[in-house]
Amino acid sequence: MDRNRLQQAIQASQEYLLQQQQPEGYWWADLESNVTMLAEVILLHKIWQLEDRLPWGKAEQFFRQQQQNHGGWELFRGDGGDLSTSVEAYLGLRLLGVPADDPALLKAKSFILAKGGISQTRVFTKMHLALIGAYDWRGVPSIPPWIMLLPGEAPFSIYDMSSWARGSTVPLLIVFDEKPVYRLDPQISLDELYSEGVAAASFELPRTGDWSDGFVELDNLFKWGEQLNLVPFREEGLKAAEDWVIERQEASGDWGGIIPAMLNSMLALRSLKYELGDPIVERGFEAIARFGVETDDTYWVQPCVSPVWDTAWVVRSLVESGVLPDDSRIVKGANWLLSQQILDYGDWRVKNKTGEPGGWAFEFDNRFYPDLDDSAVVVMALNQTQLPQPEKTQAAVKRGVAWMLSMQCQNGGWAAFDVDNDKEWLNALPYSDLKATIDPPTADVTARILEMAAELETGGPETPLQQYAKQFERALAYLLGEQEKDGSWFGRWGVNYIYGTSGALSALALITPEQHRPALERGANWLLAVQNADGGWGETCLSYDHPRFKGEGDSTASQTAWALLGLMAVAKVLDSGASLAWQQAIERGITYLIETQQSDGTWDESWFTGTGFPSHFYLRYDYYRLYFPLLALGRYRQMS
């Protein structure tokens, strides 16, 4: 490898990222998902009669740009089009005044009908259609308000739902109870999107032919009770839900830092007859507006924002690629991260009675939901910096590590937000058609905690690995047990097996690697087996649904970097007969990154390599194409 070319690539990337730092010290880039966010924001503004608050023309242009040649809209690039996403995009255009006979909508209609029409869409799409009378509330699952009164220690409570599901569901208890139908001006109908014809549409909940059909019968019972006004503790449950929603609004107006929870909370306030001008309502709309992205031509909405995540990874990539750990820009970014530590008790406290707060969240404002993945990356970033007051950093790191360790699940792994949030039967509820109602431990988050513990130098007599040896033995056993037969690991929060395998190898290589030699070699060899001919790596979101796509896809900068990080971690610690092959693969991967880097120090990447809910919701982090390649290049320079 030409050292001059390597240094030039690193320097160009560093310079670009340093130019992107915000005056407050953080880094933050756009986070893209799909057009349903925009459609639902438009619907909310229509319901609240706030037509003047959004750039409607630019929103229409965005919908039109995102429509594919087949007529539909995608969950991720190249997925062939998604039914529910396409129905909501169609709804968004109709809400913007586009007539049903517009050529774009006629094309969309054909796509939607061929996919089964409205009756085959997901629950949340049907719920949004029901709000304007385009779908019957009978086809939306009931959620009895009295579940709000169940304590956390009960066999089931709202705290058995994942944080994202909880934040979105509690406000819907209020909406689903009222079942409002808002008359818009002008009123629109989507009758043309029923494949079977709206007159023949059935609003029965779908059945699967197995034990989960019992939940459909239970839902019928709930609906019967609603019709007869025999819902026990209804008023008490609704009041508890209202109080819960109000309590969890941040001063900035956010709820959970995610658009679904924010939109559903605003729908709940509308159902509760809150008025425009109420500070709670105004803060809510101001928060939603901050998630919007307006360009010269388009307007779209992010599902969430990622400043803490982006900043921590940028700091790590800059320091590991050679920027001094006491550089003023690094110090500024690290101090901003320190300021974001959450010292309030959140929902995690319900299942974790002993832990003390100390984690970090993904977003600017999300004090109720710090997460393990962000917290671990922040701690690693802080550990690599040199701040003027090291004792302040050490205290924050110590609090963060203690909180993370208190969040370990019974099986030894870590989940994203909660402890033992793993009741699988919740994903079988009719309401749970996204299969994302729980937050069980995952290999990628567990690997991140292990990597953090191995990297950490506390300055005391023992490292976290030594101090909490039994906890980490259980974590290692869990992680090793998650390795698949071919040597890979599943990636829950990144696409997919390349992400999961990289994280697992990066952790195991730091912890008694000789003891884990077989697992490390199998993982590294799997990465070798899926390297593309151009030297890079790529994997599409299709691998979540079809095993044949595992590790397959056009090369991307971020996924190439992940593979390189995993391979370099193993090659650095193992002297193996396969080491020459690993080294050659690493050289080819580094060459791919250098040759595909653009003149401004960036990489071009349009693919979605982030995961929200496997099979249902994907993300494109704009900075993934920047800091992960830089981190890989920096580590390569260190080991070469």
Side-chain angles (χ1 to χ4, degrees):
M1 174 59 61
D2 185 330
R3 300 286 294 184
N4 289 331
R5 289 188 68 196
L6 175 63
Q7 181 56 33
Q8 289 169 4
I10 289 173
Q11 186 174 345
S13 179
Q14 289 173 339
E15 289 176 353
Y16 182 87
L17 276 171
L18 288 168
Q19 291 170 4
Q20 308 308 309
Q21 188 174 24
Q22 299 295 316
E24 298 84 352
Y26 62 82
W27 282 266
W28 170 35
D30 293 341
L31 184 56
E32 183 183 353
S33 59
N34 60 70
V35 297
T36 61
M37 303 294 109
L38 176 59
E40 291 166 15
V41 165
I42 291 170
L43 176 60
L44 180 74
H45 281 72
K46 285 284 188 178
I47 287 171
W48 279 89
Q49 299 179 352
L50 293 174
E51 285 83 355
D52 60 339
R53 291 200 181 185
L54 293 179
W56 299 112
K58 291 183 177 182
E60 178 183 338
Q61 184 63 19
F62 182 74
F63 280 126
R64 292 184 182 276
Q65 284 185 4
Q66 294 296 307
Q67 188 176 23
Q68 301 302 301
N69 290 334
H70 48 59
W73 284 261
E74 300 173 317
L75 280 176
F76 61 91
R77 308 271 191 265
D79 73 349
D82 177 72
L83 173 60
S84 294
T85 304
S86 299
V87 168
E88 293 199 38
Y90 186 104
L91 168 66
L93 285 169
R94 295 288 284 118
L95 291 172
L96 292 173
V98 177
D101 60 359
D102 182 275
L105 289 187
L106 290 175
K107 196 172 184 179
K109 174 185 171 183
S110 296
F111 174 87
I112 290 167
L113 294 178
K115 290 281 188 178
I118 284 175
S119 297
Q120 300 301 314
T121 58
R122 62 177 185 165
V123 165
F124 290 113
T125 299
K126 291 174 178 175
M127 181 270 288
H128 286 99
L129 298 179
L131 289 170
I132 60 169
Y135 190 77
D136 197 301
W137 277 104
R138 288 177 296 159
V140 178
S142 292
I143 314 177
W146 49 258
I147 69 170
M148 282 300 302
L149 307 178
L150 299 175
E153 298 76 16
F156 166 73
S157 78
I158 61 168
Y159 298 100
D160 289 308
M161 306 177 81
S162 60
S163 62
W164 56 86
R166 188 185 318 133
S168 299
T169 300
V170 171
L172 289 184
L173 296 175
I174 298 166
V175 179
F176 283 20
D177 177 80
E178 183 185 351
K179 298 178 174 54
V181 176
Y182 297 102
R183 299 301 172 187
L184 306 182
D185 184 20
Q187 188 66 26
I188 64 170
S189 167
L190 301 185
D191 291 355
E192 67 273 16
L193 299 186
Y194 285 85
S195 296
E196 69 276 38
V198 67
S202 171
F203 299 102
E204 296 290 328
L205 296 181
R207 296 176 181 268
T208 59
D210 58 23
W211 64 270
S212 64
D213 285 346
F215 291 126
V216 177
E217 298 301 333
L218 188 61
D219 187 84
N220 290 334
L221 180 62
F222 290 154
K223 285 184 167 60
W224 176 78
E226 291 169 353
Q227 292 170 3
L228 298 179
N229 198 24
L230 295 175
V231 179
F233 303 106
R234 174 176 172 269
E235 295 298 331
E236 296 89 338
L238 291 173
K239 184 62 170 65
E242 178 182 2
D243 292 344
W244 193 95
V245 169
I246 299 304
E247 181 184 78
R248 277 159 182 75
Q249 186 183 35
E250 303 287 349
S252 59
D254 298 67
W255 278 276
I258 55 175
I259 276 290
M262 294 160 68
L263 299 185
N264 291 351
S265 295
M266 295 298 289
L267 289 171
L269 295 178
R270 183 72 171 82
S271 293
L272 291 168
K273 306 299 187 292
Y274 279 67
E275 299 282 346
L276 282 173
D278 187 296
I280 297 171
V281 174
E282 288 301 324
R283 286 198 301 269
F285 276 113
E286 289 168 4
I288 292 168
R290 286 194 294 272
F291 282 52
V293 178
E294 185 172 0
T295 70
D296 291 341
D297 304 310
T298 64
Y299 177 82
W300 57 280
V301 178
Q302 302 173 91
C304 49
V305 294
S306 55
V308 173
W309 184 248
D310 285 338
T311 301
W313 279 112
V314 170
V315 168
R316 291 192 74 193
S317 69
L318 289 172
V319 172
E320 293 205 40
S321 63
V323 177
L324 294 176
D326 61 350
D327 182 285
S328 61
R329 295 158 295 186
I330 296 296
V331 169
K332 195 171 187 179
N335 277 326
W336 183 82
L337 287 173
L338 283 173
S339 74
Q340 298 301 300
Q341 188 171 32
I342 298 171
L343 302 178
D344 295 317
Y345 289 98
D347 280 6
W348 55 269
R349 181 66 166 178
V350 174
K351 299 289 185 181
N352 177 1
K353 302 296 186 184
T354 60
E356 298 293 331
W360 281 263
F362 187 72
E363 307 88 351
F364 287 110
D365 301 288
N366 192 3
R367 60 195 166 96
F368 282 93
Y369 302 112
D371 72 271
L372 281 299
D373 213 359
D374 275 273
S375 298
V377 177
V378 169
V379 164
M380 286 189 279
L382 292 175
N383 188 55
Q384 293 175 320
T385 63
Q386 293 178 9
L387 303 188
Q389 296 177 298
E391 65 282 356
K392 181 180 178 182
T393 305
Q394 291 169 6
V397 166
K398 184 177 180 180
R399 284 194 300 268
V401 170
W403 176 74
M404 285 182 263
L405 291 173
S406 77
M407 296 292 290
Q408 189 174 24
C409 297
Q410 291 182 7
N411 66 1
W414 278 271
F417 292 90
D418 280 301
V419 175
D420 297 324
N421 192 279
D422 55 5
K423 293 182 178 176
E424 290 282 353
W425 62 268
L426 289 173
N427 278 335
L429 295 171
Y431 174 77
S432 302
D433 57 358
L434 297 186
K435 307 303 178 188
T437 305
I438 57 175
D439 178 19
T442 64
D444 45 4
V445 176
T446 302
R448 194 87 71 203
I449 303 292
L450 285 166
E451 182 185 6
M452 173 208 70
E455 282 194 7
L456 206 56
E457 296 179 4
T458 61
E462 292 183 313
T463 67
L465 282 176
Q466 296 166 328
Q467 187 177 359
Y468 304 98
K470 289 186 178 180
Q471 280 190 258
F472 286 116
E473 286 176 9
R474 293 173 52 227
L476 282 167
Y478 167 80
L479 183 60
L480 290 166
E482 290 296 299
Q483 188 173 27
E484 305 208 355
K485 290 182 179 180
D486 61 9
S488 66
W489 277 267
F490 176 80
R492 166 61 180 85
W493 295 100
V495 183
N496 171 355
Y497 293 93
I498 293 175
Y499 181 85
T501 304
S502 172
L505 294 179
S506 296
L508 291 173
L510 294 176
I511 306 171
T512 56
E514 282 295 334
Q515 181 180 336
H516 306 119
R517 175 182 285 271
L520 287 167
E521 290 185 340
R522 290 171 56 222
N525 288 333
W526 181 81
L527 287 174
L528 256 66
V530 298
Q531 187 174 23
N532 289 331
D534 60 9
W537 280 264
E539 183 175 1
T540 76
C541 304
L542 293 172
S543 63
Y544 285 106
D545 302 307
H546 306 292
R548 69 179 182 274
F549 293 110
K550 188 175 184 178
E552 293 188 5
D554 293 341
S555 296
T556 68
S558 61
Q559 290 168 319
T560 297
W562 295 338
L564 287 168
L565 292 169
L567 278 175
M568 286 189 289
V570 177
K572 184 178 180 180
V573 299
L574 288 190
D575 180 13
S576 166
S579 59
L580 178 59
W582 298 340
Q583 189 59 45
Q584 290 173 340
I586 291 168
E587 295 281 349
R588 293 175 58 218
I590 293 294
T591 299
Y592 170 84
L593 288 181
I594 291 175
E595 291 183 346
T596 57
Q597 189 181 35
Q598 301 180 104
S599 59
D600 63 354
T602 68
W603 285 265
D604 184 25
E605 181 172 303
S606 62
W607 298 104
F608 281 54
T609 61
T611 307
F613 308 143
S615 302
H616 297 286
F617 187 69
Y618 297 104
L619 303 166
R620 180 186 169 273
Y621 295 79
D622 192 46
Y623 273 0
Y624 272 20
R625 64 190 175 93
L626 306 181
Y627 47 66
F628 286 120
L630 177 58
L631 183 60
L633 293 174
R635 288 193 182 173
Y636 175 78
R637 185 175 63 180
Q638 292 173 23
M639 68 178 289
S640 62

